[in-house]
Amino acid sequence: MTGSTTTPLTRAIVTGHTRGLGAALAAQLLDRGIEVLGVSRSLNPVLAKRFPRTFKDVELDLADTGHVAAWIAGDTLRGFLAGAARVLLINNAGTVQPIAPIEDQQAGAIANAVSLNVATPLMLAAAVAAASVEASDRRIVHLSSGAARNAYAGWSIYCATKAALDHHARAVALDGNRTLRICSLAPGVVDTGMQAEIRSTGTEQFPLREKFDDLKRNGQLATPEATAAKMIEYVLSDAFGQTPTADIRDIRDLSAA
């Protein structure tokens, strides 16, 4: 969909916006006339060229919580959100590593995953909520996974970190803030670099790897673009936030608000 279909006072922050699902989400929000601030460890020159007036991005290592905290304390986030009637935060950035049994997991890799998958999304959620108190409609999206709700051998860190996002959304929903909605949303299996990373892992590290090989071989992976379209339709709908955890594959026939 192209053109301004929502109020120009809608602004969105998307993490991990340089490739895969994050890039598709940012592009489709911009196509709808929504201003986007991308935050990632690299920039997206393609979106900057296509949307010079409504897109800006920040180069930030989201696994470095000290740098994230310093950036939050600055003026960029507050300045971007100032005056917005509707605010969206999509915590898309994440890592599936380390993929390994517990005795083969390195401390540094565990710390990196917990920082990127949990600490930074929670820090950004709190910062966006605080910086957007004047907005009448605030929506926070955590990118969840089936791994948050089902345990898999070799994925103990990924499962734990995604489950943390689910439980954070459940607890925040209990705050009862009428202008803030939150959902930890699983996008299904999407044909991204993360899927390629999973398929490159040995079965001794991840016993279910062959299942993911079959998904790719049989054309059962959704495209980032198709998944982004479904997610945005849901995020902008009146149904968003009615449940704090959801799977996009279970959601049907929604119209964007």
Side-chain angles (χ1 to χ4, degrees), residues 89-155:
L89 169 64
I90 302 180
N91 280 314
N92 164 75
T95 180
V96 71
Q97 297 293 346
I99 304 175
I102 190 169
E103 64 271 15
D104 294 330
Q105 296 169 3
Q106 300 300 309
I110 295 171
N112 184 80
V114 173
S115 296
L116 179 58
N117 291 2
V118 183
T120 289
L122 270 54
M123 291 165 68
L124 289 174
V128 167
S132 62
V133 291
E134 295 182 359
S136 59
D137 185 352
R138 300 176 293 163
R139 304 182 183 211
I140 296 171
V141 186
H142 293 323
L143 258 290
S144 187
S145 167
R149 300 145 201 182
N150 300 280
Y152 298 106
W155 270 12

Side-chain angles (χ1 to χ4, degrees), residues 30-212:
L30 289 161
D31 278 337
R32 289 174 173 263
I34 294 172
E35 296 180 32
V36 171
L37 173 64
V39 186
S40 185
R41 62 184 174 184
S42 58
L43 303 177
N44 191 324
V46 174
L47 291 182
K49 184 176 181 179
R50 284 183 62 197
F51 304 96
R53 295 184 179 181
T54 54
F55 172 74
K56 60 180 69 175
D57 56 355
V58 172
E59 201 169 5
L60 183 66
D61 183 357
L62 293 169
D64 187 328
T65 55
H67 285 172
V68 173
W71 180 75
I72 287 172
D75 297 329
T76 302
L77 181 63
R78 288 192 297 271
F80 177 73
L81 296 178
R86 172 187 280 175
V87 169
L88 312 176
L89 169 64
I90 302 180
N91 280 314
N92 164 75
T95 180
V96 71
Q97 297 293 346
I99 304 175
I102 190 169
E103 64 271 15
D104 294 330
Q105 296 169 3
Q106 300 300 309
I110 295 171
N112 184 80
V114 173
S115 296
L116 179 58
N117 291 2
V118 183
T120 289
L122 270 54
M123 291 165 68
L124 289 174
V128 167
S132 62
V133 291
E134 295 182 359
S136 59
D137 185 352
R138 300 176 293 163
R139 304 182 183 211
I140 296 171
V141 186
H142 293 323
L143 258 290
S144 187
S145 167
R149 300 145 201 182
N150 300 280
Y152 298 106
W155 270 12
S156 58
I157 302 303
Y158 188 63
C159 290
T161 56
K162 290 300 181 180
L165 294 182
D166 278 13
H167 219 44
H168 177 261
R170 294 185 186 105
V172 170
L174 295 177
D175 289 344
N177 189 319
R178 66 179 184 82
T179 67
L180 190 146
R181 311 184 194 193
I182 189 169
C183 181
S184 192
L185 181 61
V189 285
V190 187
D191 198 2
T192 63
M194 184 178 286
Q195 284 289 323
E197 194 174 353
I198 292 167
R199 295 193 300 273
S200 70
T201 305
T203 53
E204 69 279 4
Q205 301 297 101
F206 184 50
L208 285 178
R209 194 205 71 193
E210 291 181 2
K211 173 184 176 182
F212 288 82

